[in-house]
Amino acid sequence: LVMCATCGCDSNGNISFHEPGHEHHHNHDHGHSHSHEKTVVEVEQDILHQNNLLAQRNRGYFDAKNILAINMVSSPGSGKTALLERTLKDLKDQFDFYVIEGDQQTNLDADRIHATGTKVVQINTGKGCHLDAHMVLHALQGMKPKENGVMFIENVGNLVCPAMFDLGEKERVVIMSVTEGEDKPLKYPEMFHTSTLCIINKTDLLPYVPFNIERAKAYARQVNHNLEIIEVSCLTGEGLPQWYEWLRAKVPVLQPA
């Protein structure tokens, strides 16, 4: 059984809570009732409540320093890091960028971001399947970003748990690629429902994969009718101007440092 070390979700997507010394076999009759479901709900609510309190603290920090914080979420391999690399290189003369990288192991993505000249902090979650507000708070304390910047938070590749955890971001951007099924928004609706922008990446591969992009967009808007959608290719640059325009529109007006 693989379990998330932070939220307790197992490989079946459940929140698990086991009391020491209480062995349970479900193929026997007994005379006592179980309150496991209630316990699970209470544990989950407590975890999310504590996270939300810290997320509000992070949000206050970002607001006070006039920083646009963007939570980048997706399944593994969608091209989040490649999109960040292009963005950081193309707009480096326009904004002060900062990046928090979330992965279970390695500094590989942080090394790629660092190569662009951007200040970056790597968070390794170990068995954890998502970033939480406390991890981001701790990273911010070490990073000390300046006022009037843009903070990208690249979450762990996962379309389930990160949807539940507010990090204090202003915007949540979900990336899906044409190498995935176009039904991703229907399978993982909470992630698309809580995002403000959906980027469909790797459009240069459309001639080679059985991906119906119009169907994918329809599914995404079925889940979230307010969701903005931009099609991009980090390889050819197609669609990147639209992404940059969206980003510029979200950056707060510069305030005196």
Side-chain angles (χ1 to χ4, degrees), residues 62-148:
F62 291 132
D63 288 344
K65 297 182 77 71
N66 206 46
I67 293 173
L68 172 65
I70 301 177
N71 186 4
M72 309 285 284
V73 293
S74 77
S75 58
S78 67
K80 291 194 303 298
T81 309
L83 179 64
L84 280 179
E85 285 179 305
R86 283 294 304 258
T87 303
L88 298 172
K89 291 176 182 177
D90 291 350
L91 304 183
K92 63 181 179 181
D93 296 329
Q94 300 182 34
F95 304 107
D96 289 326
F97 287 114
Y98 303 89
V99 176
I100 295 174
E101 277 290 341
D103 283 298
Q104 289 189 317
Q105 299 292 341
T106 81
N107 295 322
L108 295 175
D109 285 354
D111 291 342
R112 291 170 60 182
I113 298 301
H114 180 71
T116 69
T118 305
K119 191 169 186 179
V120 57
V121 170
Q122 177 74 53
I123 298 176
N124 289 135
T125 61
K127 292 183 179 180
C129 56
H130 58 87
L131 295 178
D132 62 33
H134 182 265
M135 297 175 189
V136 171
L137 174 62
H138 190 65
L140 290 173
Q141 290 171 340
M143 181 177 276
K144 297 182 175 61
K146 297 179 181 179
E147 290 82 1
N148 303 319

Side-chain angles (χ1 to χ4, degrees), residues 69-240:
I70 301 177
N71 186 4
M72 309 285 284
V73 293
S74 77
S75 58
S78 67
K80 291 194 303 298
T81 309
L83 179 64
L84 280 179
E85 285 179 305
R86 283 294 304 258
T87 303
L88 298 172
K89 291 176 182 177
D90 291 350
L91 304 183
K92 63 181 179 181
D93 296 329
Q94 300 182 34
F95 304 107
D96 289 326
F97 287 114
Y98 303 89
V99 176
I100 295 174
E101 277 290 341
D103 283 298
Q104 289 189 317
Q105 299 292 341
T106 81
N107 295 322
L108 295 175
D109 285 354
D111 291 342
R112 291 170 60 182
I113 298 301
H114 180 71
T116 69
T118 305
K119 191 169 186 179
V120 57
V121 170
Q122 177 74 53
I123 298 176
N124 289 135
T125 61
K127 292 183 179 180
C129 56
H130 58 87
L131 295 178
D132 62 33
H134 182 265
M135 297 175 189
V136 171
L137 174 62
H138 190 65
L140 290 173
Q141 290 171 340
M143 181 177 276
K144 297 182 175 61
K146 297 179 181 179
E147 290 82 1
N148 303 319
V150 177
M151 173 70 69
F152 286 114
I153 305 170
E154 184 177 353
N155 220 313
V156 178
N158 181 358
L159 285 175
V160 184
C161 293
M164 299 188 297
F165 285 80
D166 182 7
L167 304 180
E169 71 267 22
K170 178 69 173 180
E171 306 287 342
R172 180 176 290 182
V173 177
V174 59
I175 298 100
M176 62 182 295
S177 68
V178 303
T179 55
E180 306 170 59
E182 63 258 14
D183 56 359
K184 275 286 171 67
L186 299 182
K187 290 182 175 180
Y188 305 95
E190 187 63 19
M191 183 62 82
F192 288 83
H193 179 71
T194 58
S195 296
T196 51
L197 173 68
C198 173
I199 291 179
I200 302 180
N201 195 17
K202 305 184 183 181
T203 55
D204 54 287
L205 296 177
L206 279 173
Y208 313 105
V209 294
F211 184 89
N212 187 320
I213 198 165
E214 293 305 320
R215 185 179 299 157
K217 291 191 289 186
Y219 287 155
R221 292 194 173 107
Q222 180 179 327
V223 172
N224 180 356
H225 67 274
N226 292 319
L227 188 65
E228 297 183 64
I229 301 175
I230 299 175
E231 305 168 29
V232 309
S233 166
C234 296
L235 184 64
T236 67
E238 179 186 3
L240 290 179

